Amino acid sequence: GFIPRKFLQKYQLLRGRRTILRRLESFLICQSRFRECLANIVSASIQRIRAITWRFNVMDFVVADFETTTKVDDCRVWAWAVCDPIDFSVVYGNSIESFINSLNRYNVVYFHNLAFDGSFILDYLLKNGYTYTNARYPKRSQLSTLIDDKGKFYTITINIKGHRVTFKDSLKRIPMSVAAMAKMYDMPISKGHIDYTAPREVGHDLTTEEIEYIKGDVVIVANALKEQYEHGMTKLTAGSN
């Protein structure tokens, strides 16, 4: 039938307004999603900046550990692991040579009982062209140590191709076993167990059990050290903290 012009005009006007409202609604939804996405990006960026700030303002350190054979005539490193306390990521290998080659990315490396692990580092370096110096800052292919007259290791500093790395002893800061540390700091993980006497040839392919064991050790110590650093305990020993 016949539709009066004024009703037709009102209908078209309403239809146009509905279209505008639908488009405005879609725009607002997109804008809301964009703001949410932007907020997530900003939040992630802030967290990353805080992590970087913590790393460089407090101290850039990682935690390492060696596993060694028990034979007197074949005493060597058959596994190592390094844990970054920022995200607790772990890298590992199966020879001291591969460990030394990984050091160019680190500045400070903690071992829990540096006297033990450090002796393997010194033995390897001195057999591979490094020389000892009393200088505080060793030059390329030099190393220096802080060891008292009782044989207690405090630091070892080496210069690898122009990059200095200092090894420190977490046992001097937290004088307890790794197992006790996990309990004291109420960690959700505990120290594992492996057969230390099992035969492991040079180049031994690490088993899943061995990898999880050595990863657990460095993650526990990294957790404890990170907590100390976050509370301003950054000195070399427990007494000085």
Side-chain angles (χ1 to χ4, degrees):
F2 173 75
I3 301 176
R5 181 183 295 273
K6 63 178 182 179
F7 289 109
L8 183 60
Q9 289 176 341
K10 285 184 179 181
Y11 170 76
Q12 291 175 339
L13 180 61
L14 288 173
R15 184 178 179 184
R17 286 177 178 174
R18 285 178 187 152
T19 301
I20 293 172
L21 287 174
R22 282 197 298 268
R23 290 178 179 176
L24 180 60
E25 183 181 13
S26 297
F27 171 75
L28 291 174
I29 291 173
C30 290
Q31 193 177 45
S32 176
R33 289 175 179 171
F34 172 75
R35 282 199 301 266
E36 183 180 354
C37 181
L38 183 61
N40 290 336
I41 293 172
V42 171
S43 177
S45 299
I46 290 173
Q47 290 179 5
R48 181 58 181 164
I49 290 170
R50 284 176 177 170
I52 293 172
T53 300
W54 182 87
R55 175 186 287 278
F56 287 101
N57 286 352
V58 180
M59 185 170 287
D60 179 12
F61 73 88
V62 294
V63 174
D65 185 33
F66 287 163
E67 295 301 329
T68 63
T69 56
T70 57
K71 293 182 179 180
V72 176
D73 59 344
D74 183 29
C75 192
R76 56 181 164 77
V77 174
W78 60 266
W80 60 266
V82 173
C83 177
D84 187 331
I86 296 296
D87 57 6
F88 299 107
S89 59
V90 177
V91 294
Y92 54 87
N94 63 357
S95 71
I96 192 168
E97 182 179 7
S98 60
F99 171 76
I100 296 297
N101 290 338
S102 75
L103 292 175
N104 60 351
R105 71 189 79 173
Y106 311 126
N107 295 323
V108 175
V109 181
Y110 277 98
F111 279 96
H112 203 61
N113 190 7
L114 183 61
F116 176 79
D117 302 272
S119 63
F120 288 90
I121 294 172
L122 293 176
D123 179 70
Y124 176 84
L125 294 177
L126 293 173
K127 287 179 179 178
N128 285 272
Y130 281 73
T131 56
Y132 178 81
T133 178
N134 286 319
R136 183 177 180 181
Y137 301 110
K139 296 180 180 180
R140 185 185 293 260
S141 297
Q142 289 184 337
L143 64 89
S144 64
T145 61
L146 179 57
I147 304 173
D148 68 14
D149 55 3
K150 296 181 180 179
K152 292 182 179 179
F153 282 57
Y154 288 88
T155 64
I156 300 172
T157 302
I158 65 177
N159 188 315
I160 304 175
K161 299 178 181 178
H163 177 71
R164 274 192 296 270
V165 183
T166 298
F167 300 99
K168 297 184 178 182
D169 191 358
S170 55
L171 188 60
K172 299 289 189 299
R173 296 171 52 91
I174 313 174
M176 64 183 69
S177 68
V178 174
M181 196 185 304
K183 293 179 181 178
M184 179 178 178
Y185 284 83
D186 195 26
M187 297 181 195
I189 58 174
S190 59
K191 183 174 175 61
H193 300 280
I194 57 170
D195 182 359
Y196 292 102
T197 62
R200 296 177 175 94
E201 71 284 356
V202 175
H204 167 71
D205 290 328
L206 304 182
T207 65
T208 301
E209 179 187 18
E210 291 165 346
I211 292 171
E212 291 305 310
Y213 172 80
I214 195 169
K215 284 173 64 176
D217 277 7
V218 291
V219 168
I220 289 171
V221 179
N223 263 291
L225 283 177
K226 183 176 182 179
E227 184 169 331
Q228 284 196 343
Y229 270 81
E230 288 176 339
H231 286 83
M233 302 168 67
T234 61
K235 303 298 184 180
L236 194 60
T237 65
S240 57
N241 279 319

